[in-house]
Amino acid sequence: MDNLPHDVLFQILSRLPISSLIQFHSVSRSCRLLAQYTQLFDPNHDHFRCLIFHSDFPIRNHLYFVDFPSLTQHKFSVKRIFTPFAATMPEYDVVGSCNGFLCLSDSLYNENLFIYNPFTRDYLELPKSKDFSNPDVVYGIGFHPQTKRLKILKIVYSKGFRRIQRRFHHSEVQVFTLGTSNWRSIGRIFHHLAQGQSPAAINGRLHWVSLPRRHYVGRTIVSFDLASEEFIDIPKPDYGSLSRCNFQLMNLNDCLSAVVYCSYGKMEIWVMEQYGVKESWVKSFNIGSYMPKGLKQEGTEMCFKVSKIVVKGRIVRVVCVLKSGEILLEYRNRALVVFNPSSGKFKDVSFEGMPNWFQTIVHFGSLNRIDALLE
């Protein structure tokens, strides 16, 4: 291997999934440097993309992963991810994935917050922020390409905000920038954002869907600029299904997109082709109703009493769009399905070792260390 030219090795490594790149990284110092260079050249290469499964059933929280190329090959098995902070935070939520790092929050007490690279096992516990009594908390994590800063956003709603929507003084917005030592309070927010969903990151901004306000059944798309640290509302069309309440935001080919949940398990995907322009929303996909063959109903009632993931989940959720143009779907936190928009056909996807109940997170694996972000 040492006799191979570096450009040949680079071409080989750039085609490896992240799990194989990690093994190569451990061989020698020269291999480690070359693997890191390969990732720096194209950190968002599709081969570095993987699926992470977060499971909290039957008892403890666990993380698993499978390489992305295996979605079409079905020959890889799901592997367990070691969590070195499990004793400190045994139950957690996955806030989101950003630049090779996961952000995990304490699902019991909203106290602990960790930044974690699941492949290098490098992690950082963030300092405690201002304490509130029994708050509702919405988190977000994002990286701004111009400022080169990774930030964690914490929006705190004290009890009573949801009950009396006009009492906006019950909210507080806090920001932590990696490389600093303290959280900063930047004021309040005049929307109550929906909990339990990772924000969609596009153009250095995080995007959420708000809860309906009193006397107004619609929902608002709210954007937070990671550079200016300001909230703005994103326009959506007044016509069509996107004017309804029930939709989820996602990043689709670097465009802000909305998955609208229609009746009988059907969905539509709307795409904002020109960011911030109301008239640029177009309906790009229609997804029909489907029930995976392997989805069994027994034990569902018992799991709903135990799993927080299942309680907060949907009947069906769009995970991502694959390089092939097919759409990956998650059904009832129990099954993965690939939908082909061209043919309208569905295909069940399963891997050896998959947990019985899970939340799927798309993650770009990385060799990055947290120390580099603290400089």
Side-chain angles (χ1 to χ4, degrees), residues 6-156:
H6 276 195
D7 59 338
V8 175
L9 274 175
F10 173 80
Q11 292 299 323
I12 296 173
L13 294 179
S14 63
R15 289 166 171 78
L16 293 178
I18 185 60
S19 57
S20 299
L21 194 64
I22 289 291
Q23 293 176 356
F24 183 85
H25 178 265
S26 305
V27 173
S28 65
R29 184 176 182 275
S30 59
C31 292
R32 181 167 63 252
L33 293 174
L34 187 58
Q36 290 173 337
Y37 174 76
T38 302
Q39 270 233 304
L40 286 172
F41 183 78
D42 189 2
N44 292 327
H45 196 288
D46 201 59
H47 285 287
F48 301 144
R49 191 157 56 154
C50 66
L51 295 180
I52 288 182
F53 304 112
H54 174 212
S55 176
D56 66 351
F57 182 82
I59 301 176
R60 296 190 61 182
N61 282 232
H62 296 293
L63 295 175
Y64 306 82
F65 85 96
V66 65
D67 289 315
F68 224 77
S70 60
L71 280 173
T72 56
Q73 299 172 17
H74 294 242
K75 66 179 182 179
F76 291 92
S77 60
V78 171
K79 300 174 184 177
R80 177 89 169 269
I81 294 175
F82 175 70
T83 49
F85 45 80
T88 304
M89 192 172 67
E91 295 193 31
Y92 51 82
D93 294 321
V94 179
V95 173
S97 167
C98 180
N99 274 37
F101 296 98
L102 294 176
C103 182
L104 307 175
S105 66
D106 188 336
S107 62
L108 289 178
Y109 307 109
N110 285 317
E111 291 182 352
N112 299 311
L113 201 62
F114 285 85
I115 303 297
Y116 178 50
N117 186 328
F119 294 106
T120 65
R121 300 184 179 180
D122 191 25
Y123 71 94
L124 174 69
E125 182 177 5
L126 301 188
K128 300 293 189 294
S129 61
K130 182 179 177 181
D131 189 31
F132 290 85
S133 178
N134 298 319
D136 290 336
V137 180
V138 175
Y139 287 105
I141 180 173
F143 181 83
H144 198 281
Q146 274 73 49
T147 63
K148 307 296 182 183
R149 287 294 189 179
L150 191 148
K151 294 183 179 181
I152 297 89
L153 191 70
K154 183 177 181 180
I155 303 171
V156 182

Side-chain angles (χ1 to χ4, degrees), residues 280-335:
S280 70
W281 283 103
V282 295
K283 185 170 67 173
S284 298
F285 300 100
N286 285 300
I287 303 175
S289 58
Y290 179 75
M291 182 61 67
K293 298 181 178 66
L295 196 61
K296 299 179 180 179
Q297 301 302 317
E298 60 266 25
T300 302
E301 183 178 353
M302 178 187 68
C303 185
F304 267 86
K305 296 177 182 178
V306 179
S307 174
K308 294 181 180 179
I309 290 175
V310 175
V311 169
K312 294 186 292 186
R314 297 180 179 273
I315 294 176
V316 58
R317 183 174 70 91
V318 175
V319 177
C320 66
V321 176
L322 306 178
K323 192 175 181 179
S324 62
E326 296 173 307
I327 300 172
L328 181 65
L329 307 171
E330 177 191 278
Y331 282 81
R332 295 186 181 273
N333 299 102
R334 294 197 65 186

